[in-house]
Amino acid sequence: MPSVEGAGGRLLTRTRGDKYIWGIVVMLAITSLLVVYSATGSLAYKMYKGNTEVYLFRQLSFIVLGLAVVYFLHRVNYTIYSRVSLILYLISVPLLLYTLLFGVEVNDASRWIKVPVINLTIQTSDFAKLALFMYISRQLSRKQKDIKDFKKGFLPIIIPVCITCALIMPANLSNALLTGATSLLLMFIGRVNFKHILLVIAVAMIPILIIVSVAVTTYDADKTDNTKASESSLTSVGRFGTWVSRVQDFIYAGDTEIPYQVQQQNIAIANGGILFGRGPGNSLQRNYLPQAYNDSIYPIIIEEYGLFGGVVIIFLYLVFLFRCIRIFRRCPYAFGAFLALALSFTLVIQAIANMAVGVNLIPVTGVTLPLVSMGGSSFLFTCASIGIVLSVARNLEQMEGKATESEQQESTVNA
């Protein structure tokens, strides 16, 4: 009977790709387990009659499944993703449409569809983003000769981006903006004409300026509950009222009562002190902070692990981005290079947005902290993205190994 140690050794020998990225994934997964267990302890106690380990084992199962997804996808040759990218993108569009029309509604937004057999809700925008970045990476790699041309190079890339962002926007404006920003950044690196990119930015700024203008013009400092007033007067236009109220909360936070979520985030950060925080499991604000285990997990990290813990998390994401940029620069094939860069950009930009909300630098967005927030479909799609990045790194490692081997053989023959 083969030993567990032997099986583990074989697994390690079959694990390839960037070791730093593997290390970052493991470190963030361990952090997630600790922080989610702490943030959900009181909730689990109330919901499950004293059983505080329910969410711990749930998160552990998602981490194990997520690591399995990373391992499986990193073993797949990344060129396959180029072949299936169009099919995945064409699947994502009707999925987004179905979600808008018939999706599960949570917090006045249809972002999820429910899978009947496994009873799991899936946020289709996560799948759509993954499919979109595969597809535009393929388009950028195939159209480098015509990339400066508006019809031949620009339109085939920007049209899928606009369709996906337009379908995500009604339910999740912040997610649509982050997806669009990542796509434009990738197009800039892919040598798309800068004038065309500026044109897209100018058009995208129109709805943002409309929201800010309405927020400023409809704000009334004398109203004791301005948020509810603005939402109730604009609820007939989808989530427009929610967007306006979040902008008002952010701009006028000092003029009226600070929004409850921002208050609790600030208290959590203040409780953390300067360096090492209150210690693991000692958060006080987890009992009061909305979505402490999900959207607002970064303030809980700072409360329990202090400034040191908050900086370490930022450092890990920046190292992840640096290693992916290194893969981009070393990869000899354009598709793999663009794919690694696109998926790293979307994860790091999402992480920065979540942390910026946590310290009240930008309005509330509702995006999770990748690999740290409590598990779900978002966690699994994040793992899928990292597995694909590691697939590019693994193939690059194999090519460089073969090149080194042939050089050694050639030098031996010459000797």
Side-chain angles (χ1 to χ4, degrees), residues 91-103:
I91 292 171
S92 72
V93 173
L95 266 180
L96 289 173
L97 277 170
Y98 178 84
T99 306
L100 277 178
L101 298 173
F102 309 107

Side-chain angles (χ1 to χ4, degrees), residues 81-238:
Y81 303 122
S82 175
R83 297 171 202 164
V84 301
S85 60
L86 178 58
I87 297 170
L88 294 178
Y89 175 74
L90 292 176
I91 292 171
S92 72
V93 173
L95 266 180
L96 289 173
L97 277 170
Y98 178 84
T99 306
L100 277 178
L101 298 173
F102 309 107
V104 177
E105 194 169 298
V106 180
N107 296 329
D108 299 321
S110 295
R111 302 178 187 175
W112 295 267
I113 57 173
K114 199 165 190 176
V115 182
V117 179
I118 58 176
N119 200 29
L120 176 70
T121 52
I122 296 176
Q123 193 165 344
T124 51
S125 60
D126 292 321
F127 171 75
K129 287 192 298 182
L130 184 58
L132 175 67
F133 292 132
M134 283 185 191
Y135 183 65
I136 62 175
S137 296
R138 171 188 166 94
Q139 292 292 79
L140 282 171
S141 64
R142 289 164 65 94
K143 295 186 176 294
Q144 281 299 300
K145 291 181 180 178
D146 303 313
I147 200 66
K148 299 294 183 183
D149 186 86
F150 184 79
K151 288 184 179 179
K152 294 181 181 178
F154 179 66
L155 285 182
I157 297 171
I158 198 60
I159 288 174
V161 174
C162 291
I163 292 171
T164 299
C165 290
L167 291 173
I168 293 174
M169 185 181 68
N172 198 336
L173 176 64
S174 54
N175 209 341
L177 290 174
L178 292 177
T179 303
T182 305
S183 302
L184 290 176
L185 186 57
L186 188 65
M187 283 189 275
F188 174 74
I189 294 170
R191 296 175 55 248
V192 170
N193 194 318
F194 190 59
K195 291 179 182 178
H196 299 158
I197 294 174
L198 286 178
L199 176 64
V200 176
I201 293 172
V203 173
M205 286 299 294
I206 294 173
I208 297 173
L209 290 174
I210 290 172
I211 293 169
V212 174
S213 300
V214 172
V216 172
T217 54
T218 60
Y219 177 75
D220 187 354
D222 295 330
K223 288 183 180 178
T224 55
D225 196 353
N226 189 69
T227 299
K228 288 182 181 177
S230 65
E231 281 190 0
S232 62
S233 61
L234 295 165
T235 48
S236 60
V237 195

